[in-house]
Amino acid sequence: MNYETIPVTAFSQNCSLIWCPVTLQAAVVDPGGDAEKIKAQAAAKGVTVTQVLLTHGHLDHVGAAAELAAFYAVPVVGPHKADEFWLQGLPMQSQMFGFPECAPLTPDRWLEEGEVVRVGDISLEILLCPGHTPGHIVFFDRASRLLISGDVIFNGGVGRTDFPQGSHADLIAAIKNKLLPLGDNVTFLPGHGPSSTLGKERISNPFLQ
């Protein structure tokens, strides 16, 4: 899997442009805003965007999803349906964070743990990792040992859980029971900040000790 990290919005949220090197089919993961910047990167790479993928329903991860889906005429896929209340509450989130008005969003397809999303010849396995939000999912490319982790785990940190229906216990359980067993050699692309490996975080992340 090839990827490009595109920091967007005032929250420096990591939007990921991922693509299959064989077919050049691509997906945009967590486009929080700055749609023109994302379009420019996709054009520069010469890829064909076939879907917009969402890890969870927070505004800084979905703010440009509807605009990009309309522009490319592609579906919005994910997160898990437990985050529906976040996506329906996007207008309120916009006011809270001082963002331009963002209309409620209903994905074309909700995702469940165990499902697989295909981007060209790439297979992304879906794991449900609640805690930051109840319907937070991650995308795992087993062949490339790459994980798109959203706001579950960071380099030296974990996601905030002081949101409605957040749970620190659920978050840590998801990391320890679902992510760490994927292997120390898995590189993850987080929703904010630099990437890391699960092995490094298993040893040094203060929230996992």
Side-chain angles (χ1 to χ4, degrees), residues 64-151:
E67 182 180 344
L68 290 171
F71 177 78
Y72 291 114
V74 299
V76 176
V77 179
H80 184 276
K81 203 173 194 302
D83 266 18
E84 184 173 21
F85 76 101
W86 278 114
L87 293 172
Q88 293 307 308
L90 282 170
M92 191 178 68
Q93 289 193 60
S94 307
Q95 288 178 353
M96 254 170 56
F97 294 112
F99 272 47
E101 174 79 12
C102 188
L105 176 67
T106 300
D108 297 278
R109 175 186 166 196
W110 300 104
L111 289 172
E112 298 277 352
E113 175 154 347
E115 291 192 84
V116 174
V117 170
R118 290 189 170 78
V119 182
D121 293 342
I122 299 164
S123 294
L124 299 173
E125 299 173 30
I126 307 306
L127 295 169
L128 179 62
C129 294
H132 180 66
T133 68
H136 198 307
I137 58 168
V138 301
F139 299 96
F140 181 46
D141 177 8
R142 194 173 290 273
S144 296
R145 311 302 291 158
L146 278 168
L147 174 71
I148 299 174
S149 63
D151 286 357

Side-chain angles (χ1 to χ4, degrees), residues 49-75:
V49 175
T50 60
Q51 55 199 315
V52 174
L53 304 178
L54 304 178
T55 62
H56 65 293
H58 283 165
L59 175 65
D60 62 322
H61 289 252
V62 309
E67 182 180 344
L68 290 171
F71 177 78
Y72 291 114
V74 299

Side-chain angles (χ1 to χ4, degrees), residues 125 127 138 140 142 145 147 178-186 198:
E125 299 173 30
L127 295 169
V138 301
F140 181 46
R142 194 173 290 273
R145 311 302 291 158
L147 174 71
K178 294 185 180 183
L179 299 190
L180 296 185
L182 297 176
D184 284 354
N185 65 342
V186 170
L198 292 178

Side-chain angles (χ1 to χ4, degrees), residues 7-18:
V8 295
T9 82
F11 289 94
S12 294
Q13 186 266 320
N14 292 332
C15 169
S16 295
L17 177 67
I18 62 172

